[in-house]
């Protein structure tokens, strides 16, 4: 069996949740567990984050799975109902839903659920992805307030640029101008806003990436905010090659040895979720020492410079990312974000997952 596996440190989850609470001590925490908890495993993540006040997911089946595992927190479907039948199940299981377009209200009125439903009314304040226009919110709130099928209403929006230069000012101003908004609980801040914009915290915060120990900002690492990486992706060297000066390794011969050197072949490739676009020079650790990749990542393998590790050989341990090499650093080299790399590991379904408690 290949040695490649992803291990998850539950203690890091609790520590990151405590960081969220130290940034926003007066807000309830809706932990975002979509995409199989950003690749970390839905149920295991929920267990480790049991102190959160709520969990949000994308699909009804994820929410049902959480309820079936006994989680009693608030649950929220981030895109709400896709089909009317989902209304009934949410009502029976006490699952809340985002309402972001008028048809979702029609679904509720058609189904006439026995137990009224908790909703998060989503307002489009400028991201232009999901949500009602601010000018329509007044009327929709009236409808929802009068409906016998609606229980609690929270008002939410989502920022397009909380992690970037543009920031949140114009969207936040637009949100704050909504008529009558202050009588409702509000849910606005993602990880970047939790860290950078205290004025967005309100009654609920919605952290995702920071719970997993990675940075929401592409020029920073989780370390910069005292976040602890939850996932470690580890494997082993399965072969050693000696390159003479000007010989290459791997497809396309994109790396050429500047001098005679030893290269390790690592059991991990893009089919496992490691980014194919990671260039030569991307950091990784062999036997606890930081070195770098060379050549183009293949489907099942990648290559590592062992010039500084004369003792490394077949079976030497490799950390692709984790505590020694942060996923944020691999992401930066690969021109992507930690989010994508973490999600890709469980999406590949090829990497065994192991949980370390305590
Ligand atoms: C994914 C998501 C979040 C969490 O975002 P992070 O940047 O991972 O903190 C919050 N709110 C909504 C609506 C989301 O889709």
């Amino acid at each position: 069996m290949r040695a490649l596996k992803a291990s998850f440190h539950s203690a890091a989850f609790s520590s990151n949740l405590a960081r969220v609470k130290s940034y926003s001590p007066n807000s309830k925490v809706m932990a975002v567990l979509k995409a199989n908890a950003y690749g970390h495993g839905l149920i295991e993540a929920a267990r480790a984050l049991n102190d959160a006040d709520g969990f949000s997911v994308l699909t009804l089946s994820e929410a049902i799975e959480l309820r079936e595992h006994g989680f009693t927190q608030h649950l929220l479907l981030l895109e709400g109902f896709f089909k009317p039948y989902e209304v009934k199940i949410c009502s029976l299981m006490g699952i809340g839903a985002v309402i972001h377009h008028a048809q979702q209200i029609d679904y509720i009125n058609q189904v006439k659920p026995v137990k009224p439903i908790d909703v998060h009314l989503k307002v489009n304040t400028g991201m232009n992805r999901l949500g009602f226009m601010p000018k329509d919110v007044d009327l929709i709130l009236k409808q929802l307030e009068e409906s016998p099928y609606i229980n609690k209403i929270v008002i939410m929006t989502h920022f397009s640029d909380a992690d970037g230069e543009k920031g949140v000012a114009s969207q936040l101003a637009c949100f704050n101008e909504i008529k009558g908004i202050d009588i409702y609980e509000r849910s606005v801040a993602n990880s970047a806003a939790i860290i950078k914009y205290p004025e967005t915290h309100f009654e609920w915060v919605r952290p995702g990436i920071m719970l997993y120990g990675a940075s929401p900002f592409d020029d920073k690492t989780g370390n910069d905010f005292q976040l602890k990486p939850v996932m470690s992706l580890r494997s082993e060297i399965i072969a050693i090659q000696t390159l003479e000066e000007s010989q290459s390794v791997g497809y396309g011969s994109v790396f050429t040895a500047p001098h005679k050197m030893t290269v390790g072949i690592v059991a991990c490739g893009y089919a496992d979720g490691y980014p194919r676009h990671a260039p030569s020079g991307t950091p990784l650790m062999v036997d606890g020492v930081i070195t770098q990749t060379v050549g183009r990542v293949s489907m099942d393998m990648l290559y590592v410079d062992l010039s500084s590790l004369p003792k490394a050989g077949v079976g030497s341990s490799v950390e692709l990312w984790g505590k020694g090499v942060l996923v944020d650093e691999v992401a930066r080299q690969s021109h992507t974000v930690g989010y994508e790399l973490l999600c890709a590991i469980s999406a590949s379904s090829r990497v065994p997952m192991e949980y370390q408690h305590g």
Side-chain angles (χ1 to χ4, degrees):
M1 204 178 89
R2 293 165 92 214
L4 179 64
K5 72 178 165 214
S7 12
F8 300 92
H9 314 281
S10 297
F13 267 130
S14 340
S15 163
N16 296 333
L17 180 57
R19 281 305 283 154
V20 169
K21 291 185 178 174
S22 73
Y23 280 108
S24 50
N26 301 317
S27 307
K28 291 179 275 189
V29 178
M30 174 69 77
V32 179
L33 303 184
K34 66 195 182 200
N36 197 24
Y38 291 42
H40 293 61
L42 174 65
I43 297 304
E44 290 286 349
R47 280 197 185 118
L49 296 168
N50 199 33
D51 287 343
D53 304 283
F55 296 128
S56 47
V57 292
L58 184 64
T59 63
L60 181 56
S61 57
E62 293 166 296
I64 293 171
E65 205 184 329
L66 287 167
R67 277 286 178 261
E68 284 177 342
H69 278 82
F71 292 100
T72 56
Q73 285 88 345
H74 290 278
L75 299 184
L76 179 68
L77 302 180
L78 281 168
E79 295 176 13
F81 310 116
F82 298 102
K83 290 284 180 307
Y85 78 89
E86 296 177 321
V87 173
K88 190 172 172 186
I89 300 172
C90 283
S91 158
L92 291 173
M93 300 189 87
I95 295 164
V98 168
I99 303 275
H100 63 83
H101 66 70
Q103 249 165 311
Q104 292 174 319
I105 303 177
D106 296 343
Y107 294 167
I108 297 175
N109 291 331
Q110 278 165 38
V111 172
K112 304 187 181 10
V114 182
K115 268 172 49 194
I117 290 178
D118 288 341
V119 298
H120 276 50
L121 180 66
K122 187 157 191 174
V123 185
N124 173 15
T125 53
M127 178 145 178
N128 298 324
R129 189 171 67 173
L130 299 180
F132 294 93
M133 295 314 289
K135 65 172 174 47
D136 300 330
V137 169
D138 197 28
L139 197 67
I140 288 161
L141 276 173
K142 274 204 193 87
Q143 278 178 33
L144 295 178
E145 289 289 0
E146 283 165 12
S147 167
Y149 310 122
I150 303 289
N151 189 33
K152 191 175 162 177
I153 303 167
V154 175
I155 306 193
M156 74 183 287
T157 193
H158 194 51
F159 294 126
S160 56
D161 290 80
D163 60 325
E165 263 172 47
K166 189 172 166 198
V168 302
S170 81
Q171 281 191 263
L172 183 63
C174 174
F175 185 77
N176 286 334
E177 274 163 27
I178 295 168
K179 216 172 118 196
I181 189 152
D182 22 340
I183 67 165
Y184 294 95
E185 290 188 355
R186 293 153 288 186
S187 170
V188 171
N190 57 3
S191 296
I194 290 168
I195 292 172
K196 204 167 166 186
Y197 301 105
E199 67 275 28
T200 66
H201 292 174
F202 299 121
E203 290 75 23
W204 286 93
V205 291
R206 301 194 306 269
I209 195 73
M210 65 188 293
L211 294 172
Y212 307 99
S215 167
F217 306 100
D218 59 12
D219 58 347
K220 294 268 190 325
T221 68
N223 222 353
D224 295 328
F225 309 107
Q226 291 105 57
L227 299 167
K228 301 220 167 87
V230 178
M231 181 194 293
S232 295
L233 183 64
R234 294 211 190 84
S235 190
E236 282 178 8
I237 289 177
I238 59 165
I240 298 282
Q241 298 293 337
T242 304
L243 303 185
E244 300 297 333
E245 184 189 325
S246 83
Q247 284 188 323
S248 298
V249 57
Y251 288 119
S253 299
V254 297
F255 173 81
T256 308
H259 44 70
K260 186 173 174 175
M261 68 186 281
T262 322
V263 167
I265 314 298
V266 179
C268 180
Y270 63 78
D272 302 301
Y274 194 91
R276 181 172 175 277
H277 291 104
S280 293
T282 302
L284 75 177
M285 240 162 74
V286 175
D287 288 339
V289 175
I290 294 194
T291 170
Q292 52 179 355
T293 63
V294 290
R296 188 181 282 162
V297 173
S298 343
M299 189 181 287
D300 312 319
M301 288 173 270
L302 56 81
Y303 321 117
V304 57
D305 178 358
L306 295 178
S307 304
S308 58
L309 284 129
K311 291 200 187 120
V314 170
S316 282
S317 72
V318 177
E319 181 187 282
L320 287 314
W321 60 70
K323 286 184 191 146
V325 173
L326 298 175
V327 71
D328 304 300
E329 301 173 53
V330 178
R332 189 179 334 175
Q333 290 283 336
S334 312
H335 302 289
T336 181
V337 286
Y339 297 74
E340 185 181 18
L341 300 189
L342 296 173
C343 291
I345 295 307
S346 83
S348 86
S349 76
R350 237 172 56 150
V351 182
M353 297 174 46
E354 169 191 277
Y355 295 90
Q356 294 168 357
H357 299 283

